Amino acid sequence: MEGVAPPAWALLSYLISGVCFILALRGLSSPSTSRSGNRYGMFGMALAVLTTLLLKAPVPAGGFLPQPSPDDVITLAQIVAAIAIGGGIGWFIARKIAMTDMPQLVAAFHSLVGLAAVLVGWAAYLNPEAFGIAAADGVIHAQSRIEMGLGIAIGAITFSGSIIAFLKLAGKMSGAPIMLPGRHVINLGTLVAIIALTAYFTLDQSLWVIATISVLSFLIGFLLIIPIGGADMPVVVSMLNSYSGWAAAAMGFTLHNTAMIITGALVGSSGAILSYIMCKAMNRSFISVIAGGFGAAPEAAGGPAKEQRPWKRGSAEDAAFLLKEAENVIIIPGYGMAVAQAQHVLREMGDVLKKEGVNVKYAIHPVAGRMPGHMNVLLAEANVPYDEVFELEDINGEFAQADVAFIIGANDVVNPAAKTDKSSPIYGMPVFDVDKAKTVMFIKRSMGGVGYAGVDNDVFYMDQTMMLLADAKKMVEDIVKALAH
């Protein structure tokens, strides 16, 4: 198929698909338009897949639609069957997965995109004539080797890195950073070796070269993610999303598929931009994210609270009384809310308070949860009105006027150490100014935990803080019952 330009109808179809993908990204930028964004993305992808299927054989002279080639190893029926099987698995998972498990599901899907890029790259290497990337003597074109090497390298990094992220997010592996001695030297050396071998691959297409690139890339993906702690997982998820996009774009060049190039570039660039935005929100260096190991130091991760100071414990009845007497309440959800699946009863509590004339708002930190927009998704699932949900920069100035700051399952995003303690691993990260509220209610399971960053929280010990120690869902249910009485 080399040198055969796609017909005009196919180019127009891919252009329409690309426009749909852009509209999908635009729609997904806001919870209120996310449904329409998903529809644009689904339509664009369906159109791109259909066009690719119709283009699986060369266009005959004077013809409009391609005809199946007798040399095709895989028939259209087999392709449709594979799509049906994959689509059925995806539909089943989507129906069964809980919203609280979405972060690990996203990481798992990223791993599949990376693995697909690796397999396509190897298929192109083993049978270059079928991909139209080889000369008559079977030598793969130099530019195709670059595309193949980059696609396999990025795909392998995405695969192994996403597997580690999945294991951490699913709780099957410790969320604490695992710091290897000399990790930065090892990572840098491995990356340099991958780049050098990819360049050498343009001169020598021997099997050992591409095999070594693959092995080193799988290894570096593992090494980049294991030093990253659970608190930094939202950035990791968006970063792996970017990697998967660039892997798909590289394979798009190998397959001569315009839709894959467009889609991959959009996913890669949007993921990179999101990672940069989230790094700024956490006061992290974007380069340190790419290098890996930017999480908390090992001695800071996990463990009991560093100090034993006086604190006040409250009951559901105490909380209900203060909430009912308040005029302005700001609710700050975190990953603990997701684990307890307390978003529905939290919305119920908010509805009860609004009926009592209380002004209720929800404050979302950019890195709350385990993936970008995790809290927004959970609150949307619980049908919390979009106009009651505010980002950090839009609501942080209102805590001074708030009667109650209601923290449920959050920790690091409300820790004032980020503003005052230069030795803290979260120093410089913008946090909610909950210490300015008249009353702070803090729901957590016990006083023993200190969050993923491993830092004790001065908010626990403030005079205006009431600690509500219990499972988040159970505590809010009890508060709702107390409000009813």
Side-chain angles (χ1 to χ4, degrees):
M1 291 181 65
E2 182 186 8
V4 179
W9 68 268
L11 294 176
L12 178 61
S13 178
Y14 282 146
L15 177 62
I16 295 174
S17 297
V19 172
C20 287
F21 296 146
I22 294 172
L23 292 174
L25 287 176
R26 182 187 179 192
L28 292 172
S29 64
S30 170
S32 59
T33 57
S34 59
R35 289 183 183 273
S36 62
N38 272 314
R39 293 190 188 101
Y40 278 121
M42 292 165 62
F43 175 79
M45 184 55 67
L47 181 60
V49 169
L50 178 61
T51 303
T52 302
L53 290 178
L54 294 175
L55 283 175
K56 76 184 192 77
V59 180
F64 178 67
L65 293 177
Q67 301 299 317
S69 168
D71 297 328
D72 283 344
V73 178
I74 300 177
T75 66
L76 183 61
Q78 290 172 318
I79 294 174
V80 172
I83 292 175
I85 293 172
I89 294 173
W91 180 86
F92 177 80
I93 293 175
R95 295 283 295 178
K96 293 294 184 180
I97 197 73
M99 291 302 295
T100 50
D101 295 332
M102 283 299 293
Q104 51 262 47
L105 178 66
V106 171
F109 282 169
H110 287 163
S111 74
L112 296 178
V113 175
L115 183 60
V118 174
L119 294 177
V120 170
W122 270 92
Y125 173 79
L126 296 174
N127 191 10
E129 293 81 6
F131 288 78
I133 59 175
D137 56 359
V139 176
I140 302 174
H141 301 305
Q143 70 271 19
S144 296
R145 292 188 220 174
I146 295 176
E147 299 159 3
M148 190 185 306
L150 289 175
I152 289 175
I154 300 173
I157 292 172
T158 304
F159 174 75
S160 56
S162 297
I163 291 297
I164 298 300
F166 168 80
L167 293 174
K168 289 196 173 203
L169 290 167
K172 302 181 184 298
M173 180 179 180
S174 173
I178 302 174
M179 303 298 188
L180 299 178
R183 66 187 183 281
H184 292 305
V185 175
I186 296 173
N187 292 349
L188 182 60
T190 307
L191 287 172
V192 169
I194 292 172
I195 295 172
L197 285 169
T198 303
Y200 180 71
F201 190 49
T202 62
L203 305 175
D204 181 2
Q205 66 179 60
S206 298
L207 178 63
W208 74 268
V209 180
I210 190 171
T212 306
I213 291 174
S214 302
V215 172
L216 290 178
S217 298
F218 281 124
L219 177 63
I220 193 63
F222 171 79
L223 293 174
L224 287 174
I225 304 303
I226 59 170
I228 299 176
D232 297 321
M233 275 299 149
V235 184
V236 173
V237 171
S238 64
M239 180 179 64
L240 291 170
N241 179 58
S242 177
Y243 289 173
S244 68
W246 297 125
M251 287 299 103
F253 284 102
T254 300
L255 296 174
H256 307 293
N257 189 294
T258 306
M260 278 189 69
I261 297 171
I262 294 174
T263 307
L266 285 172
V267 173
S269 57
S270 61
I273 293 171
L274 179 59
S275 297
Y276 175 75
I277 292 173
M278 298 188 74
C279 285
K280 287 187 65 178
M282 297 181 69
N283 196 36
R284 306 290 194 191
S285 165
F286 186 65
I287 300 300
S288 69
V289 177
I290 299 175
F294 62 98
E299 63 271 11
K306 295 179 181 179
E307 299 183 51
Q308 295 296 328
R309 291 182 279 171
W311 52 277
K312 292 185 297 186
R313 182 168 187 168
S315 65
E317 290 74 18
D318 298 330
F321 175 79
L322 292 173
L323 286 168
K324 200 168 186 178
E325 296 297 316
E327 293 184 6
N328 297 295
V329 173
I330 300 178
I331 300 173
I332 305 100
Y335 186 61
M337 182 197 75
V339 173
Q341 301 186 39
Q343 62 270 25
H344 294 281
V345 68
L346 183 67
R347 190 265 306 160
E348 182 182 352
M349 186 190 80
D351 290 345
V352 172
L353 291 175
K354 285 187 289 184
K355 289 179 181 178
E356 297 290 335
V358 180
N359 181 30
V360 178
K361 294 182 178 180
Y362 298 80
I364 305 297
H365 195 279
V367 295
R370 291 297 172 266
M371 72 175 185
H374 194 186
M375 294 300 105
N376 300 79
V377 171
L378 292 176
L379 294 180
E381 183 203 16
N383 295 318
V384 172
Y386 298 132
D387 58 359
E388 295 179 7
V389 181
F390 297 86
E391 300 293 338
L392 181 145
E393 62 271 14
D394 298 323
I395 200 171
N396 218 16
E398 298 186 23
F399 280 99
Q401 291 77 44
D403 296 296
V404 175
F406 190 89
I407 305 167
I408 173 170
N411 195 332
D412 298 329
V413 298
V414 298
N415 195 333
K419 298 181 290 184
T420 59
D421 185 1
K422 292 185 178 181
S423 64
S424 172
I426 62 172
Y427 179 72
M429 183 179 79
V431 294
F432 289 115
D433 296 330
V434 296
D435 53 315
K436 297 181 180 179
K438 295 178 183 178
T439 299
V440 177
M441 298 182 187
F442 211 122
I443 297 181
K444 63 195 305 286
R445 285 186 175 274
S446 69
M447 293 297 293
V450 288
Y452 275 96
V455 184
D456 200 12
N457 196 332
D458 287 340
V459 174
F460 300 162
Y461 315 104
M462 295 191 311
D463 292 337
Q464 72 266 41
T465 299
M466 176 190 297
M467 300 300 300
L468 305 172
L469 303 182
D471 173 80
K473 184 177 181 180
K474 179 66 167 58
M475 174 57 70
V476 178
E477 287 175 343
D478 290 343
I479 291 174
V480 172
K481 292 177 182 178
L483 286 171
H485 292 86

